[in-house]
Structure formats: C-alpha cells, structure tokens
Amino acid sequence: MRFPRLLLCLGVWALCGSAKPTERKERVVREAPLSAREHDDAQSFDYDHDAFLGADEAKSFDQLTPEESKERLGKIVGKIDEDGDGFVTVEELKAWIKFAQKRWIYEDVERQWKGHDLNEDGLVSWEEYKNATYGYILDDPDPDDGFNYKQMMVRDERRFKMADKDGDLAATKEEFTAFLHPEEYDYMKDIVVQETMEDIDKNGDGFIDLEEYIGDMYSQDGDADEPEWVKTEREQFVEFRDKNRDGKMDKEETKDWILPSDYDHAEAEARHLVYESDQDKDGKLTREEIVDKSDLFVGSQATDFGEALVRHDEF
C-alpha cells in the first residue's frame, strides 16, 4: 500500500468525526501492562514469561520441549547482552522487556519502511516520505473531500525534523521509528504535547481551557444531561489538571496530563528476574544463571501452560 500512514490519519479523523456524543476519547499515553495474568510466582511463572517474551512468543515457547526451550533462551541471552561483556544487567534486561512488549511497533516500522525508502539507500529522506505520502495530493491543492492535507504535511514535516537528530533530513530506522511513534521516545514528547494542544485549542490562544478540554472528548449534540463521566472530567480538570488554578492548561500541565510519570513495570520486572536468578549475587546475570532458571524466563511442554500456536522464526 502506497500511503499507509496517511490513510491511517484519515481513518482516525473519520472515527473522531463520527464518534457517538457519549463516547470518550482517550488522550493519555499509558504503558500497556506486561501481561494480563496475575504476577504470583507461587502459582506459576506465566506473568514472567509474558513480560520477558511478549504474550505471543511466550505461548510459542510453551510448545517446545524443555531442551529446545533452553536452547532458544540461550540464543536470546546473546541479544540481550548488548555490550557483549558476557553479563546481562538490569538495564539491558529492562531494554529487552520493553522491546518484547513493543514488537508490534517495530513490525509497523518495517512495513512502512519498505514503502518509503524509495531509493533503497537505508534512509528515508523527508522528500521520499513527502512524495510517497502526499505526492498525488500536491497535484490537487483543493481536494473535494475537505481535508486540509497541506496542514497535515506541515505537521508531519515538523515532526520529521524533530525526530531527525542530526538534522540531515534523512531518517535512520531509529529516527523513522521516533517519527511514526513519538510517544515512545523521551526527546519526542514535546511534539506529542504540541500536536495535542493544537488539536484541542480551538481558539488558538496557546492554552486548553475547560470547555476545550471537555469538547475534545464529548459532544453534547443537543443532549440536556451530561454523562457522569463528563461531570467527573470537569472536576478532574479543576482539581488536578489545572494545577495553578488559572482556568486553563499550559504546556507543562498538558504534558503532565497526557504523559503521566507511571510506575515503570519493565524495570520492576527486570529487577525481579535478576534477583530471582542471580546465584552469586553480583547484581548481573550470566548466560548460565539465566538458563539454569529457565522456568522463570520461558515455558516449555513440561509446564502444561499455553495452547498450540505456530512458532515464530525470529528466535
């Protein structure tokens, strides 16, 4: 497909435009849970398996023999040990867990990369992205469907330049990932806030007032009575969102709202796995320590957990 991201944008716009008056729009960016299972090691290590591998990969391991499971786990350790020093630290394990949980993001980037690296030089330039995404629209400055494509393009260019750390207007795979999924990168969070404020700030004063805040998530559409959740959001705005009580949210208040500092589940799980597996108590893990504790990290047929799924090839 030639214009995947543009079509996605239009789909979101259409969804927002046709949403029911009582349907709530969620702006807050939160970390997804590491697993839908309870974290109770006294009962099973299912939570740890999901956290370490991602739920789908964890199920695929459940179909392996214990020997196969340990062999594949050993190969994974080599990927986790980024500096190749023979040890897995809490930070390396945390980074791996975040990768395992966000695998869908990297799969999305791979799909889009193929459609935008037109000259196959291992980079996506702004010109390549613009031509692949907006090329046919630029030939028609006044499209019939009413969308302001030029405004979308300006926003995309601004975000692209923010993601492009070295300023050469050619994105590496990592920079392209930051462009497509800015909420995943600390250095992109300001652009997430800026775009959110532009969407909600209807009077263009650079702030979000109470009515703009409510209007973004709820359209009264002639209904006399607001749903209870809308009344609760009004109270949340007054009591918690508008911290300085000036009747509106500025950039920092908006950032605190949509990008809250949540509990870091990946770091907590990484520390838990190291604590449970670190036989010599040096604060880091060897390949042998991880494989010796393989039942904590991965499942196998011996555990009787999971259901039959096709194995993935990436491990």
Side-chain angles (χ1 to χ4, degrees):
M1 184 173 293
R2 188 168 173 77
F3 314 115
R5 187 167 182 273
L6 178 59
L7 294 177
L8 176 62
C9 291
L10 299 185
V12 171
W13 282 26
L15 177 62
C16 294
S18 61
K20 296 178 181 178
T22 57
E23 185 177 329
R24 182 172 184 168
K25 184 190 298 182
E26 184 59 70
R27 291 279 187 181
V28 180
V29 178
R30 298 189 187 280
E31 286 286 332
L34 300 182
S35 173
R37 306 170 188 264
E38 289 293 324
H39 194 184
D40 185 356
D41 287 354
Q43 297 296 320
S44 76
F45 296 131
D46 288 343
Y47 178 97
D48 301 295
H49 300 167
D50 286 356
F52 180 69
L53 294 169
D56 287 345
E57 287 297 332
K59 289 177 182 177
S60 76
F61 266 76
D62 290 337
Q63 308 313 306
L64 302 177
T65 65
E67 292 75 20
E68 290 173 324
S69 182
K70 287 182 179 181
E71 181 181 355
R72 288 175 67 181
L73 175 60
K75 293 178 180 178
I76 292 174
V77 173
K79 297 182 180 182
I80 302 174
D81 179 19
E82 292 185 350
D83 59 10
D85 67 350
F87 297 97
V88 170
T89 64
V90 169
E91 282 302 309
E92 288 174 328
L93 195 50
K94 172 184 170 182
W96 169 261
I97 291 171
K98 286 184 175 292
F99 167 79
Q101 295 293 319
K102 303 291 186 182
R103 189 174 284 112
W104 68 271
I105 289 177
Y106 299 101
E107 292 172 351
D108 173 59
V109 171
E110 286 298 329
R111 284 193 299 269
Q112 299 215 39
W113 184 266
K114 294 175 183 177
H116 291 97
D117 181 14
L118 303 180
N119 63 5
E120 299 183 350
D121 66 346
L123 298 169
V124 172
S125 69
W126 167 245
E127 286 300 314
E128 283 179 314
Y129 180 82
K130 181 177 70 173
N131 290 334
T133 307
Y134 295 102
Y136 78 105
I137 296 169
L138 296 177
D139 296 332
D140 183 6
D142 189 22
D144 294 333
D145 53 23
F147 284 108
N148 191 334
Y149 296 108
K150 287 193 173 182
Q151 182 178 354
M152 292 170 60
M153 188 173 67
V154 168
R155 282 178 57 145
D156 268 356
E157 183 176 10
R158 183 180 63 193
R159 187 196 287 189
F160 191 97
K161 289 179 177 178
M162 178 72 73
D164 177 29
K165 282 187 170 182
D166 58 11
D168 63 355
L169 288 181
T172 63
K173 187 72 68 70
E174 187 72 9
E175 290 170 337
F176 194 61
T177 305
F179 168 65
L180 294 177
H181 299 277
E183 70 282 353
E184 301 296 332
Y185 291 80
D186 285 339
Y187 82 99
M188 294 294 290
K189 288 184 176 179
D190 282 346
I191 203 71
V192 175
V193 174
Q194 184 175 357
E195 290 179 1
T196 301
M197 294 190 74
E198 288 173 351
D199 288 342
I200 302 175
D201 175 24
K202 300 305 182 185
N203 64 13
D205 66 350
F207 298 93
I208 299 174
D209 62 34
L210 175 58
E211 295 311 312
E212 288 170 335
Y213 173 79
I214 296 298
D216 179 61
M217 63 183 73
Y218 169 74
S219 175
Q220 191 170 24
D221 198 26
D223 292 341
D225 297 324
E226 290 181 342
E228 281 300 317
W229 69 263
V230 176
K231 296 177 183 178
T232 300
E233 284 296 341
R234 289 186 181 276
E235 295 171 0
Q236 290 283 319
F237 184 94
V238 173
E239 295 296 325
F240 301 106
R241 310 279 185 247
D242 177 21
K243 298 182 185 301
N244 62 7
R245 300 292 193 274
D246 66 351
K248 54 193 176 184
M249 287 194 295
D250 57 24
K251 181 179 178 180
E252 287 304 312
E253 290 167 332
T254 302
K255 184 175 183 178
D256 288 343
W257 164 45
I258 65 171
L259 298 170
S261 299
D262 289 338
Y263 176 73
D264 194 330
H265 295 278
E267 180 171 353
E269 177 63 10
R271 292 187 181 281
H272 167 66
L273 293 175
V274 170
Y275 176 81
E276 294 293 336
S277 310
D278 185 14
Q279 297 174 11
D280 59 9
K281 302 303 177 186
D282 63 350
K284 51 191 177 183
L285 302 179
T286 63
R287 179 185 182 279
E288 290 71 25
E289 285 175 322
I290 292 175
V291 174
D292 284 348
K293 197 70 173 178
S294 62
D295 59 336
L296 173 65
F297 289 86
V298 297
S300 71
Q301 288 176 352
T303 66
D304 293 328
F305 298 140
E307 56 190 72
L309 290 179
V310 178
R311 294 181 193 174
H312 291 208
D313 293 328
E314 59 189 291
F315 294 134

